[in-house]
Amino acid sequence: MFGLHYNLERRSIGLAVAIIIVASIGGLVEIAPLFTIDETVEEDPDMRVYTPLELAGRNIYISEGCYACHSQMVRTLRDEVERYGPYSLAVESQYDHPMLWGSKRTGPDLARVGGKYSDAWHVAHLEDPRDVVPESVMPSYAWLSRNELEREDLDKHLSAMRKVGVPYSDAMIENAPEDAYGQANPDSSRAEGVAERYGDDTNIRSFDGDPERVTEMDALVAYLQILGRLTDAAQDQPALDESELVEEE
Amino acid sequence: MISQLTKGERQLALFISIAVAFLGLAMAGAGFGNPLGFHGFIVLLFALGVTFLVLSGYFAAEPSPERLKQYYDDPIKVGVILSLVWGVIGMFMGVWVAALLAWPEMTFDAAWASFGRLRPVHTTGVIFGFGGNALIATSFHVMQRTSRARMPDQFSPWFVLLGYNLFCLLAVTGYFIGVTQSKEYAEPEWYADIWLVVVWVTYLVLYLRTLARRQEPHIYVANWYYLAFILVVAMLHIVNNLAMPISLTAAKSYSAFSGVQDAMTQWWYGHNAVAFFLTAGFLGMMYYYLPKRAERPIFSYRLSIVSFWGITFLYMWAGSHHLHYTALPHWVQTLGMTFSVMLLVPSWASAANALLTLNGAWHKVRDDATLRFMMVAAVFYGISTFEGSFLAIRPVNSLSHYTDWTVGHVHAGALGWVALITFGAIYTLAPILWKRQRMYSPALVEVHFWLALAGTLVYVFAMWNSGIIQGLMWRTYNESGTLTYSFIDSLVAMHPYYIARTIGGLLFLAGIVVGSYNIWMTIRRAPGLEASETRQDEPVTAGAAPSSVSAGE
């Protein structure tokens, strides 16, 4: 074996090829099957896509680096299920490009935060976290209410998402900027189209309390309010069955 | 420096920098009003700066053929300095974000100054700015010396070094304005990623071309590691960054993968960035500079082989241990855990190989802070790889994951291993590069060592404590069977540790500032070498007989 190596280390291309082969095996075995094995992601016909406003909010969440402090993944541990809610299923992040499962909880997990607090709570919390949670170490995001949301290119966002596999229809893509406006303005004529395209359960309201303008705050709150609510699969699962949960000592 | 380039190389450099300037102009124009446009201006300014630099020496006389009898060290010098500059910036940002967690009001209502945007500035600045530049610089040095051959040309090392720093600049400036794809340690957007591929391919080709010119029959062990670092990082980078931009004139893109597959790909990348960027590359550094400084041959050649292939093979399976108890299929989690535990064998083989190399040279470790940096680095390498295997075990991970314990583990590796081995290598390298008898102040190297060690220990112990407390508080039940603590209770308990961490970081930062000053003064003031002493450090010219197989020099 060491004789073989004695020869290998005299050939730079041979060494390079050997490194590539040896290093490829692990990834091939672990990653490739995830795309082909059916059980990787559960089927769920009710799973809905993000509305343009929610997607814009998600992009704000990403660019502010919220993922560095908040996970979006309830693990199959008893204390997590009791603290946050039913554990996360693969299907729930099926349309998440990229996923935001996170790696650190400086703040709590957000996988099930949708609907847990009022819009007004979220706005107050984002404006100044210490107003509602005195011990919080979260930065304040007051500028979100000041910034008008950029909506014009949302159709391009949806269309790029479709290219990577999210089933947005032509109508969704075409109306994306309008729908983003409509979702935050329940009284406007454009609100109806949102319910028509994304379902009657869609949250259509002025999220930041100011129907005059569609702000980045509207978008982020709309996103936070849909977390864990794109499908009811997790709530319906027989999984609340205790035996599947891991008990700690 | 430009005068060392041949006329043809100067023309090529001018052509490329003007071409990049036009690329920047095109980006600035097409992406106007978008972060892509802002990055266009940065590319344009960077390329114009390089253009003027090239022009400044453009009309100098052709360099003498004598230069071919010497190693080409100019880009290495610049690389070492850039590494220290990024190190100071990156570690300063680290102290800042640490302080933000203790005193969150320090963002003064500005988007760019919030934790979420500054945190990747810290990680990218340290990993890619400080670590990456150190790897590029030392790899240029090691590949030439162990091959006893000069680099094949004088253009490509500059292209690699400057192109890489342009990538780092695009990454870091992007975070301030909210450009990120949110994949940890792979945050830069699609255009920066494509640029890095161009730079990285040039790096690989340069490395292989230098090896092809070698006057030694065997490729020295440090080069195996550097080669694995270059190859595998390319592989990881390309696969994990596959994405669909919303248009060619906008910065935003959407990952090609989603959900479970994206999580697995991301942590396959993330964990192997640790393996091949932060471990293999720096092991290459260790396998050259530690024996060199100790003036002892590597303890065991066979152990190096076992360790090298063990790391190359086993690491690639381990990434899924970041996803225990998640929606990732159970079998992948189990594979990740199993291979993570097995990984301890080759990791400790390397750590042991390094420490046993010091047998017979322990008096030098006592007297020479430079060698002590590398010795302690090897110890921390052993500690953090043990901890890594331990944390990958599912039940342990259920406690540690999402807590500061992970942060502590990462920093035991980043500060204790990566940074300390780098300081050891730079202190060994600087006098050689600038042809000095010694560092300007050995006493300041000593000061740096103790600051760095104290900073690391304070940091790591603070995070071990806070992480374990956090994990335990989250899962504590009271007698009636309900959770005892709210999340916010656990956060309040972290406060003293967050302050301790900031202090640890400050000590470490003070260390690198002292070190940078010492390097600067070494360049300017330290006593020089006699001409006869520099002569040993020259490549074998064509036709001369190659010497030993072990190839230290």
Side-chain angles (χ1 to χ4, degrees), chain A residues 10 64 83 94 103 157, chain B residues 117 184 214 254 258 485:
Chain A
R10 294 163 69 108
E64 296 309 332
R83 176 169 279 123
Q94 188 181 6
S103 61
H157 285 257
Chain B
R117 291 197 188 182
E184 283 184 88
R214 74 184 181 282
Y254 288 96
S258 71
Y485 300 103

Side-chain angles (χ1 to χ4, degrees), chain A residues 60 62-65 67 141 143 147, chain B residues 35 38-39 42 86 89-90 92-94 96-97 100 107-125 168-181 187-188 191:
Chain A
I60 293 169
I62 287 174
S63 63
E64 296 309 332
Y67 62 89
Y141 290 94
W143 70 85
N147 292 355
Chain B
F38 166 74
H39 269 157
I42 289 189
W86 278 108
I89 296 171
F92 170 76
M93 297 310 293
W96 187 350
V97 291
L100 278 178
T107 54
F108 27 87
D109 196 25
W112 64 267
S114 62
F115 181 90
R117 291 197 188 182
L118 296 185
R119 189 256 190 186
V121 176
H122 162 59
T123 50
T124 299
C168 294
L169 198 63
L170 290 179
V172 163
T173 51
Y175 308 145
F176 283 115
I177 55 169
V179 179
T180 168
Q181 52 180 8
E187 286 101 340
Y191 50 94

Side-chain angles (χ1 to χ4, degrees), chain B residues 197-248:
Chain B
V197 172
V198 175
V199 170
W200 215 252
V201 168
T202 316
Y203 188 19
L204 174 65
V205 171
L206 173 64
Y207 213 97
L208 289 174
R209 280 166 73 210
T210 311
L211 287 181
R213 293 158 58 88
R214 74 184 181 282
Q215 297 294 326
E216 295 283 347
H218 290 264
I219 303 169
Y220 181 70
V221 54
N223 290 313
W224 314 345
Y225 281 102
Y226 279 120
L227 204 56
F229 146 67
I230 298 170
L231 284 166
V232 182
V233 166
M235 215 162 97
L236 299 167
H237 173 78
I238 292 170
V239 175
N240 191 42
N241 285 305
L242 291 173
M244 175 60 61
I246 61 165
S247 86
L248 289 177

Side-chain angles (χ1 to χ4, degrees), chain A residues 5 36 49 57-58 79 84-85 96 99 115 123 129 152 158 160 197 204 220 227 235-236:
Chain A
H5 202 271
T36 53
V49 295
R58 190 169 200 270
D79 64 296
Y84 300 117
D96 287 2
M99 59 86 207
V123 173
E152 303 77 56
L158 264 60
R197 280 182 278 279
I204 299 174
L220 185 57
L227 282 176
Q235 268 81 10
D236 300 344

Side-chain angles (χ1 to χ4, degrees), chain A residues 106-183:
Chain A
T106 303
D109 187 271
L110 298 183
R112 306 250 168 263
V113 84
K116 194 171 173 184
Y117 303 97
S118 68
D119 294 343
W121 186 91
H122 278 297
V123 173
H125 181 244
L126 286 162
E127 294 258 356
D128 186 356
R130 278 157 292 284
D131 271 356
V132 277
V133 185
E135 305 88 348
S136 170
V137 297
M138 193 172 109
S140 84
Y141 290 94
W143 70 85
L144 292 176
S145 303
R146 301 197 289 265
N147 292 355
E148 197 89 30
L149 180 72
E150 232 179 272
R151 298 194 308 275
E152 303 77 56
D153 62 353
L154 278 171
D155 52 338
K156 288 190 207 158
H157 285 257
L158 264 60
S159 141
M161 284 281 267
R162 180 155 81 178
K163 284 184 197 137
V164 292
V166 182
Y168 281 112
S169 66
D170 289 340
M172 288 171 171
I173 292 174
E174 210 175 299
N175 293 294
E178 301 288 294
D179 285 351
Y181 182 87
Q183 193 180 354

Side-chain angles (χ1 to χ4, degrees), chain B residues 116-199:
Chain B
R117 291 197 188 182
L118 296 185
R119 189 256 190 186
V121 176
H122 162 59
T123 50
T124 299
V126 173
I127 299 174
F128 297 114
F130 169 67
N133 275 300
L135 286 172
I136 291 174
T138 56
S139 71
F140 286 173
H141 182 252
V142 171
M143 75 181 176
Q144 292 189 95
R145 264 52 176 199
T146 55
S147 302
R148 295 165 74 82
R150 185 185 162 90
M151 282 192 268
D153 73 305
Q154 298 159 121
F155 170 77
S156 30
W158 286 113
F159 181 78
V160 172
L161 185 71
L162 297 178
Y164 179 78
N165 279 278
L166 176 59
F167 165 79
C168 294
L169 198 63
L170 290 179
V172 163
T173 51
Y175 308 145
F176 283 115
I177 55 169
V179 179
T180 168
Q181 52 180 8
S182 88
K183 295 188 156 198
E184 283 184 88
Y185 320 115
E187 286 101 340
E189 272 292 356
W190 60 278
Y191 50 94
D193 289 335
I194 293 174
W195 174 249
L196 185 64
V197 172
V198 175
V199 170

